[in-house]
Amino acid sequence: DLASVAPTLVARTDLAPGIVELEVRAPLVARAARAGQFVRVLPQPDGELVPLTLADWDATAGTVTLVVQGVGTSTAGLVATAVGAALAGVAGPLGCPSRVERHDDDTTVVLVAGGLGLPPAYPIAREHLRAGNHVTLVAGFRDAAHVFWDRPDERVALLGAGAPGRFDVVWATDDGSAGVAGPVTGPLEGVLEAARTGSGRRVAEVVTVGPPRMMRAVADLTRRYGAPCVASLNSVMVDGTGMCGACMVPVVVDGVRERRHACIDGPEMDAHAVDWDRYLPRFGQWREQERRSAVAHGL
Ligand code: FES
């Protein structure tokens, strides 16, 4: 009876300072998972739900892969979980799967991922490659110490293997200690400019996942070039099922202001419809509570 299997941490890999890859036994979630979806993880019965976008899953092994950075009380607890320990709950998959369509042969789908945005971008890139699309991945990090999955035997290098689509990757770091120096918008502008002048592939769409300010910069840049852009939004979430309103995203559709739930309408949304000026401040709304919780837990 798979429904009665307790979610258990079966493997744990340190990827970068404070960032771990967790493999969690959750057979029903693994069986239903699709690219772009997320789960709610409850580390302890009295903890809070942590929304995490799926980095990978294995329906045969009954496991899902999550990449976590210990930034607050709950994520720090998750990062410190020992292999073999049970988690109080893993619910999902939640949210709408990524929309993956077959695009023309002379185009590319550009995935722009920043830091912890790389794990959610990975299965989306894989779906596009399986569909036969050309994929360009721009993966940006703070510095070389925070880069992960970049070795020849790791996920990103293996992405193109056996898939009908072809794959290019550009690594970037803010300080230039690995790959191209500067933010992800630099390589992205190179791709958009090559498409504009006809010296490179046309851009079918841009999908961005990462820190909110980075996604805003990607939205602004793609708007200037007239390229469609989707952002996978990592709103603050509470229930993750459309009831609490914590994840609200202000959008403007046909000149009309509306609000969407990142948890059930997203997490992916038209990045050009998001009202970033009103959305970005929402990420700081619990800062004082987070600070007090960190102090109370000795972090
Ligand atoms: Fe509660 Fe989306 S997280 S409505």
Side-chain angles (χ1 to χ4, degrees):
D1 178 11
L2 293 179
S4 64
V5 174
T8 308
L9 186 62
V10 295
R12 180 187 188 289
T13 311
D14 288 303
L15 295 182
I19 300 174
V20 294
E21 178 179 325
L22 306 176
E23 207 176 312
V24 177
R25 183 155 167 70
L28 291 176
V29 180
R31 199 179 269 188
R34 308 256 310 271
Q37 292 186 297
F38 68 97
V39 291
R40 298 184 312 168
V41 179
L42 184 63
Q44 303 93 24
D46 61 347
E48 66 175 344
L49 292 161
V50 183
L52 292 166
T53 308
L54 291 164
D56 207 353
W57 53 91
D58 183 334
T60 310
T63 57
V64 297
T65 305
L66 307 169
V67 175
V68 189
Q69 182 169 26
V71 290
T73 310
S74 300
T75 48
L78 208 46
V79 165
T81 305
V83 171
L87 300 168
V90 175
L94 299 166
C96 302
S98 298
R99 281 212 357 237
V100 175
E101 294 164 4
R102 176 75 171 97
H103 295 291
D104 293 343
D105 285 340
D106 64 340
T107 66
T108 187
V109 174
V110 188
L111 282 140
V112 183
L116 268 272
L118 178 58
Y122 167 76
I124 302 171
R126 185 171 59 190
E127 280 306 301
H128 279 285
L129 288 164
R130 283 178 179 163
N133 292 329
H134 184 283
V135 171
T136 305
L137 170 66
V138 180
F141 296 86
R142 192 191 317 173
D143 53 33
H146 288 84
V147 178
F148 58 87
W149 289 0
D150 59 324
R151 292 202 306 262
D153 60 339
E154 291 183 315
R155 279 191 168 77
V156 171
L158 301 175
L159 253 180
R166 291 209 3 259
F167 175 59
D168 295 319
V169 57
V170 181
W171 298 94
T173 51
D174 293 340
D175 68 355
S177 52
V180 177
V184 288
T185 41
L188 172 61
E189 186 153 20
V191 174
L192 292 165
E193 192 57 29
R196 190 186 68 81
T197 60
S199 62
R201 289 172 174 274
R202 290 189 294 122
V203 174
E205 63 173 316
V206 175
V207 181
T208 184
V209 198
R213 268 192 287 272
M214 183 209 83
M215 291 194 285
R216 191 227 176 110
V218 171
D220 290 345
L221 183 59
T222 49
R223 187 186 288 111
R224 286 217 304 276
Y225 279 88
C229 182
V230 165
S232 177
L233 300 175
N234 45 2
S235 287
V236 173
M237 291 191 191
V238 177
D239 65 306
T241 54
M243 290 184 285
C244 72
C247 66
M248 280 300 182
V249 183
V251 295
V252 180
V253 180
D254 297 330
V256 178
R257 283 188 169 181
E258 294 176 12
R259 299 196 305 166
R260 298 275 155 79
H261 295 83
C263 65
I264 53 170
D265 301 322
E268 290 181 7
M269 288 194 199
D270 176 357
H272 298 157
V274 174
D275 184 344
W276 295 94
D277 284 336
R278 291 169 62 228
Y279 182 48
L280 291 179
R282 294 185 65 90
F283 287 88
Q285 63 185 324
W286 307 109
R287 198 161 285 146
E288 177 54 22
Q289 287 88 340
E290 287 163 0
R291 190 194 65 76
R292 274 190 261 143
S293 174
V295 170
H297 290 81
L299 294 175

